[in-house]
Amino acid sequence: DKTSLYTKYFIILSNALIVSSLFYGESLNTSGAFSRGGALFFSILFLGWLQLTELMPAVSGRGIVARHKDYAFYRPSAVSIARVVVDFPAIFCMVVPFTIIVYFMAGLDVTASKYWIYFLFVYTTTFCITAMYRMFAALSPSIDDAVRFSGIALNVLILFVGYVIPKQSLIDGSIWFGWLFYVNPLSYSYEAVLSNEFAGRLMDCAPSMLVPQGSDLDPRYQGCSLTGSQLGQTQVSGSNYIETAYQ
């Protein structure tokens, strides 16, 4: 279906440009720390959300697959394996333009190794969410049910990723549902890309975040209000920031 394919690529390119423009020119100091987390969260989520279109062909083709099985033509596993094999180049072609636009427009750490690690987790996460959609397509009696289950599951994954609600609050506060954090592929991907971005970086404290503030102050007695800062230092370690803010 070329129309559907072209539409998907148009959505990928346009959304990558629009959302990346929101993060364009972000400061490299502490004032841009939290917004970079938002750019990374969008990166791992967007392509997986877009793969919701996989539900329709997966559900509509079940009748044909069932007849092939009944007439001993092909096993259902042949279709499942073929779809996964086709996904390797198809998802790759989606991830390449998306990650290039978002990574460099959002001003993430321009290091070759960090870009490829970022690329790997966006690619892998898209695979995981696509597989989840197909699971619901196989288990649901109709396309309406598949959409409902997939939508609810995606919202649960987003909620238990540790971005909006901190990881420790999810684990300690949700006695019955805290385990969802550990079976959520988005949470592992988010931790990975966040660690990849901030580990080993030193961020200068933004003037608006210096404590105390004033014109005639000795820098030795100033600190930074960003999470993870240390007393008497106007630089914040990226590793300390993610350890303190995200555990």
Side-chain angles (χ1 to χ4, degrees):
D1 185 359
K2 291 184 179 180
T3 303
S4 176
L5 184 66
Y6 294 153
T7 303
K8 183 181 286 189
Y9 275 99
F10 173 76
I11 293 172
I12 290 170
L13 294 174
S14 60
N15 276 269
L17 289 168
I18 291 169
V19 176
S20 298
S21 67
L22 299 175
F23 299 99
Y24 182 73
E26 279 292 338
S27 175
L28 295 174
N29 59 27
T30 55
S31 63
F34 185 75
S35 58
R36 275 186 170 72
L40 294 170
F41 180 62
F42 169 77
S43 300
I44 61 170
L45 175 65
F46 177 71
L47 291 179
W49 168 77
L50 196 63
Q51 286 295 90
L52 195 64
T53 55
E54 291 295 316
L55 283 175
M56 183 61 75
V59 173
S60 61
R62 288 189 308 186
I64 299 172
V65 174
R67 284 198 293 273
H68 280 206
K69 179 185 177 184
D70 293 339
Y71 297 146
F73 288 163
Y74 300 103
R75 294 180 182 272
S77 60
V79 178
S80 300
I81 294 171
R83 281 176 175 159
V84 173
V85 171
V86 170
D87 276 342
F88 279 99
I91 293 178
F92 182 86
C93 292
M94 291 192 299
V95 172
V96 167
F98 177 79
T99 54
I100 289 175
I101 293 171
V102 174
Y103 196 87
F104 294 102
M105 276 195 70
L108 301 176
D109 198 359
V110 185
T111 306
S113 59
K114 289 191 174 185
Y115 169 76
W116 288 113
I117 292 172
Y118 165 83
F119 178 93
L120 172 66
F121 279 97
V122 174
Y123 185 67
T124 308
T125 307
T126 308
F127 257 102
C128 291
I129 299 178
T130 303
M132 182 188 72
Y133 291 152
R134 288 183 179 154
M135 177 189 71
F136 286 120
L139 297 175
S140 304
S142 66
I143 184 65
D144 292 336
D145 296 313
V147 170
R148 289 191 190 99
F149 292 143
S150 299
I152 292 171
L154 185 61
N155 282 320
V156 170
L157 293 184
I158 293 170
L159 183 64
F160 283 86
V161 81
Y163 173 65
V164 178
I165 305 173
K167 172 184 176 181
Q168 207 59 40
S169 298
L170 289 174
I171 297 171
D172 296 340
S174 302
I175 299 175
W176 299 106
F177 301 104
W179 57 272
L180 287 170
F181 178 87
Y182 295 104
V183 297
N184 183 358
L186 287 178
S187 64
Y188 292 102
S189 293
Y190 183 61
E191 284 190 345
V193 294
L194 203 64
S195 302
N196 180 56
E197 173 66 19
F198 285 101
R201 284 184 57 183
L202 276 177
M203 298 177 287
D204 292 324
C205 189
S208 61
M209 302 179 74
L210 287 171
V211 180
Q213 295 187 19
S215 56
D216 299 325
L217 292 173
D218 190 337
R220 292 178 300 173
Y221 303 106
Q222 282 185 307
C224 191
S225 60
L226 183 72
T227 305
S229 62
Q230 296 182 348
L231 293 175
Q233 294 187 8
T234 56
Q235 286 187 322
V236 182
S237 165
S239 300
N240 289 344
Y241 166 66
I242 58 175
E243 181 180 355
T244 308
Y246 299 98
Q247 288 83 42

